[in-house]
Amino acid sequence: PIPMTAPWFDPNLYAWIPGALLGLIGGGIGGPLIGTCASRGRPKKLVIAFLIVVFDACAALLAAGIFAWSKGQPYGVWYGLGFPGLLGLLLFGSITPLVLRRYREAEARNGTRSPALS
């Protein structure tokens, strides 16, 4: 087994923060943003940039969780970082093709076509 080192932070006080931020930003802000904008075909760059930023942040959280696990951090530290990262990657990775399809459908209805989303 990997020897445990001093915790990076107190998991009893702070391990909930990454998951809460993912829920607030990804679900509370991203859900309405994506739901109202993608079906109307507007503002495409903002929505896609939002997806990329959240996806990258989740990848960083997962990497930090894996790194914490490899360094022998307590369960609350590596799980508190890694699980929201994994969950976000799965959720946002699975909805991105759907969002792009909604933009294609909106562009087909409006008679415009973007080569970037073809």
Side-chain angles (χ1 to χ4, degrees):
I2 300 171
M4 191 162 86
T5 59
W8 293 344
F9 56 84
D10 184 354
N12 293 323
L13 295 176
Y14 303 112
W16 60 274
I17 294 174
L21 286 175
L22 176 64
L24 175 68
I25 295 169
I29 296 171
L33 175 73
I34 292 167
T36 58
C37 295
S39 62
R40 296 179 184 163
R42 316 232 159 143
K44 177 176 48 180
K45 288 181 182 179
L46 174 69
V47 171
I48 292 173
F50 176 84
L51 287 170
I52 291 169
V53 167
V54 171
F55 195 82
D56 289 348
C58 290
L61 278 173
L62 180 59
I66 292 170
F67 183 72
W69 175 78
S70 73
K71 293 299 180 183
Q73 288 293 305
Y75 172 82
V77 172
W78 64 261
Y79 186 81
L81 295 170
F83 183 70
L86 178 63
L87 182 64
L89 287 176
L90 293 174
L91 292 174
F92 286 95
S94 66
I95 68 164
T96 298
L98 301 173
V99 171
L100 294 176
R101 185 173 356 152
R102 293 294 172 257
Y103 274 110
R104 277 191 227 100
E105 291 169 357
E107 289 168 353
R109 280 193 309 269
N110 297 333
T112 59
R113 192 76 177 152
S114 172
L117 295 178
S118 298

